[in-house]
Amino acid sequence: MSSTKGQVIRCKAAVAWEAGKPLVIEEVEVAPPQENEVRLKILFTSLCHTDVYFWEAKGQTPMFPRIYGHEAGGIVESVGPGVTDLAPGDKVLPVFTGECKECRHCKSEESNMCDLLRINTDRGVMLADGKSRFTVNGKPIYHFLGTSTFSEYTVCHVGSVAKINPDAPLDKVCVLSCGISTGLGATLNVAKPKKGQSVAIFGLGAVGLAAAEGARLCGASKIIGVDLNASRFEQAKNFGCTDFVNPKDHDKPVQQVIADMTDGGVDRSVECTGNVQAMISAFECVHDGWGVAVLVGVPNKDDAFKTHPVNFLNERTLKGTFFGNYKPRTDLPSVVEKYMNKELEVEKFITHSVPFSEINKAFDIMLKGEGLRCIIRMED
């Protein structure tokens, strides 16, 4: 791969030219990495709801043309000046957030919210020079989340690239670079249920099921899945869920239903929907004295969280998390090891697979609400 070092690479990428319109496979030019950047050859990527959300551009600043994609696995093709901890041939996961290792957040054991590289959905260029590394016939194409993995080659800041076990299968562990780690870490790192405790999971999409998987790994005795879509319940049993609640089936608030099921409330809850009412229910359904609720879902910008302060005074705790509290470069390799050691099953999250030429099928599958993760094979 070193023969392409320092040169522009021409390759295929799926370009979004307009909001909500099918992606178009184009030949793009990918410039060499600049200072503190790496150029990656993407081998497998998957579709996350965040890609679809920004592609639809219904509630954000539209930014087109753009190359989406942020959940992926690949190999380092070349590195720019100043990069010392990655080398060509390294197996890596690009990540939508980052870890510069220099800022207050990176130096704190309590935070993973890097000042330099934390998620920025409105930035479509690289930090080094404020320019894009992608062009089509000389016209710049915007980056997405600093990753843009719907391209055979992409350029990322070194702080947003996690080096992983060289034996890890990228067609499986690529899904660990976003949603699965977010849900898993919300339970393992933030809710931290003790063995034998009860846990409620609000929202049984991929992130919620990963949170349930975390509760299973912790030895929770009762894992209650809460979702408005009852068709998700059977699948959720594979991720440790033991009981289910569909709020539509009850006349009383779901927090009361859960309290009645658990002698006063669950020990832990994890909210993975982004619906503010679900967030309130997730908090109010935990037991007084020791209950902990963790918010994962991203709310609408005008939402307000309303609960009576006495819920806090009665010793319930409300926490939030970002990317499961994992520091991308420091902690993600250990999540991959959980898979390699057969503690964590990743295969059950992967329900579909398509060749890169059929990437729009992956969007169709997600828009229909079918499946969990669709792997997009770049080399087919």
Side-chain angles (χ1 to χ4, degrees):
M1 279 196 275
S2 58
S3 61
T4 50
K5 183 180 179 183
Q7 298 177 26
V8 171
I9 289 178
R10 285 178 173 77
C11 68
K12 289 190 176 71
V15 178
W17 290 100
E18 291 179 69
K21 296 285 174 66
L23 306 189
V24 181
I25 304 289
E26 304 275 10
E27 183 177 88
V28 300
E29 302 92 31
V30 185
Q34 302 301 306
E35 188 165 355
N36 292 322
E37 294 175 0
V38 294
R39 188 162 57 184
L40 310 179
K41 179 180 173 66
I42 299 296
L43 296 175
F44 298 93
T45 185
S46 65
L47 183 64
C48 169
H49 191 262
T50 306
D51 297 306
V52 176
Y53 185 68
F54 282 89
W55 164 74
E56 289 178 323
K58 289 176 180 171
Q60 325 73 29
T61 312
M63 192 178 285
F64 296 95
R66 204 169 199 184
I67 296 173
Y68 288 97
H70 64 281
E71 206 172 78
I75 292 170
V76 176
E77 174 269 336
S78 62
V79 303
V83 176
T84 55
D85 51 357
L86 287 173
D90 283 347
K91 200 173 270 193
V92 295
L93 301 180
V95 188
F96 66 93
T97 179
E99 181 184 356
C100 72
K101 298 193 174 182
E102 300 295 329
C103 70
R104 291 170 304 164
H105 286 275
C106 286
K107 288 179 175 176
S108 165
E109 290 181 5
E110 298 180 56
S111 175
N112 66 341
M113 300 189 71
C114 175
D115 277 331
L116 181 69
L117 298 168
R118 74 172 65 179
I119 185 170
N120 184 333
T121 57
D122 291 332
R123 187 171 60 231
V125 294
M126 299 301 288
L127 286 169
D129 57 4
K131 295 178 181 175
S132 174
R133 303 287 171 262
F134 297 110
T135 51
V136 171
N137 298 323
K139 177 182 171 62
I141 308 292
Y142 289 117
H143 293 251
F144 180 61
L145 298 183
T147 51
S148 291
T149 61
F150 294 165
S151 175
E152 292 174 326
Y153 288 86
T154 190
V155 176
C156 303
H157 190 285
V158 65
S160 297
V161 178
K163 181 180 175 180
I164 61 166
N165 187 328
D167 295 326
L170 288 176
D171 60 329
K172 306 292 191 296
V173 300
C174 64
V175 298
L176 295 176
S177 66
C178 178
I180 310 306
S181 293
T182 295
L184 186 74
T187 306
L188 296 183
N189 300 332
V190 189
K192 297 180 180 174
K194 299 179 176 73
K195 189 172 183 180
Q197 286 192 322
S198 57
V199 182
I201 308 291
F202 285 72
L204 298 176
V207 175
L209 292 175
E213 181 79 354
R216 184 184 71 79
L217 291 175
C218 287
S221 61
K222 186 188 276 285
I223 304 173
I224 303 169
V226 183
D227 203 293
L228 294 166
N229 183 354
S231 67
R232 290 175 156 182
F233 294 165
E234 193 59 37
Q235 181 181 46
K237 292 176 183 175
N238 298 330
F239 297 84
C241 286
T242 57
D243 300 80
F244 299 95
V245 175
N246 184 338
K248 290 192 289 194
D249 295 342
H250 301 273
D251 296 329
K252 53 190 173 184
V254 68
Q255 49 267 53
Q256 188 59 53
V257 175
I258 291 171
D260 293 346
M261 291 170 67
T262 54
D263 191 24
V266 285
D267 302 303
R268 303 286 186 266
S269 71
V270 185
E271 192 288 322
C272 303
T273 72
N275 178 290
V276 73
Q277 290 306 317
M279 294 179 181
I280 295 165
S281 298
F283 175 56
E284 294 183 353
C285 81
V286 299
H287 207 288
D288 58 6
W290 61 80
V292 178
V294 179
L295 305 186
V296 180
V298 179
N300 290 325
K301 65 179 190 316
D302 297 326
D303 283 340
F305 186 100
K306 295 176 183 173
T307 190
H308 199 285
V310 78
N311 289 320
F312 292 100
L313 297 176
N314 287 343
E315 299 178 6
R316 293 177 181 88
T317 300
L318 179 65
K319 292 184 172 187
T321 178
F322 170 69
F323 192 47
N325 280 33
Y326 288 119
K327 290 178 184 279
R329 296 159 85 184
T330 301
D331 299 330
L332 209 47
S334 67
V335 182
V336 172
E337 290 311 302
K338 281 187 193 298
Y339 169 75
M340 298 299 283
N341 298 336
K342 297 187 166 52
E343 288 176 63
L344 173 65
E345 297 173 41
V346 167
E347 286 85 352
K348 60 191 178 185
F349 289 95
I350 300 168
T351 52
H352 295 79
S353 177
V354 297
F356 187 39
S357 59
E358 297 176 16
I359 188 170
N360 287 303
K361 271 192 187 172
F363 279 74
D364 294 339
I365 291 164
M366 184 160 279
L367 289 168
K368 287 177 189 165
E370 297 172 1
L372 296 172
R373 280 295 183 264
C374 179
I375 300 293
I376 298 156
R377 308 183 300 273
M378 303 302 286
E379 295 194 317
D380 273 20

